[in-house]
Amino acid sequence: MADHNLYSSHEIVLVRVDDRLIHGQILEAWVPFLKASSIIIANDEVASDFFRETVMRMAVPSETEVIVRSIDEFSGNYPYSQTRGKRTLVLFSCISDAVRAYESGFHFHHLNIGNVYSEHCAMTCLPSILLGTWDIDHLKVLMKNDVTVELRRIPRERSSDLRNFLKIQKP
């Protein structure tokens, strides 16, 4: 898909991992809080499933732009600079996808984790954030690259920095 300048008019205001992607917390809390007018869903499964993509688009108010791309399409076409433009929320469904995009060149400095459920939970950070050893290892890669990893479901909650949390609870 040729969309080299697709993201040039977007200002990334939040990069988030949320295993539910589009849902009430995103639409009713984060989009108004961020004053976002665009949502980018970077997910291989949704990008290749017309039905899931359509359902997600239908859930979002028409005044909010929705862009769905695979991880490679997204990270391969992102211009890697912050520009003034549509305030945009980027959603990944899992930590490994966020790390994959980062390693492909989509460099961000702040990652919000809202909802992650690992069946092989090694650490429960919040009721909605259960991290496996694999997740923690991936997040440590980002933190070594000076990415701040914030744990917060909704904007009105207090933010927790994962670095501080790892000092308290070691898996």
Side-chain angles (χ1 to χ4, degrees):
M1 189 170 294
D3 50 5
H4 302 295
N5 294 319
L6 177 65
Y7 311 111
S8 63
S9 62
H10 291 79
E11 176 184 1
I12 306 299
V13 293
L14 183 68
V15 179
R16 177 176 170 98
V17 174
D18 193 314
D19 57 12
R20 297 186 291 165
L21 294 171
I22 299 287
H23 60 95
Q25 290 175 356
I26 299 299
L27 298 175
E28 299 297 323
W30 283 105
V31 168
F33 176 76
L34 298 168
K35 297 179 177 50
S37 60
S38 179
I39 299 171
I40 296 175
I41 299 171
N43 182 273
D44 292 344
E45 289 80 25
V46 175
S48 64
D49 184 334
F50 179 74
F51 178 75
R52 283 186 69 195
E53 180 178 339
T54 301
V55 169
M56 288 199 184
R57 288 184 185 281
M58 290 173 58
V60 177
S62 60
E63 64 270 14
T64 303
E65 176 186 36
V66 177
I67 298 169
V68 178
R69 294 292 184 267
S70 69
I71 302 297
D72 291 339
E73 287 174 327
F74 171 68
S75 57
N77 288 306
Y78 188 75
Y80 314 118
S81 63
Q82 292 290 326
T83 60
R84 293 280 177 209
K86 294 179 184 174
R87 295 177 61 81
T88 302
L89 167 62
V90 176
L91 292 173
F92 296 99
S93 67
C94 62
I95 292 165
S96 62
D97 283 355
V99 171
R100 190 170 127 210
Y102 187 89
E103 291 176 339
S104 296
F106 173 59
H107 291 167
F108 47 87
H109 303 289
H110 184 97
L111 178 67
N112 168 272
I113 299 180
N115 294 291
V116 173
Y117 172 78
S118 172
E119 289 185 16
H120 305 288
C121 179
M123 179 187 301
T124 302
C125 301
L126 295 174
S128 67
I129 302 174
L130 287 72
L131 302 176
T133 304
W134 178 263
D135 296 321
I136 294 166
D137 290 344
H138 275 99
L139 291 170
K140 285 179 179 177
V141 168
L142 292 177
M143 291 187 295
K144 284 180 183 172
N145 287 291
D146 295 324
V147 174
T148 300
V149 178
E150 168 198 49
L151 309 173
R152 183 163 61 157
R153 290 177 295 183
I154 55 176
R156 66 184 155 111
E157 283 184 342
R158 176 180 279 183
S159 171
S160 298
D161 186 324
L162 184 61
R163 286 183 204 274
N164 295 331
F165 201 88
L166 289 174
K167 291 176 185 174
I168 295 169
Q169 294 185 14
K170 295 196 182 239

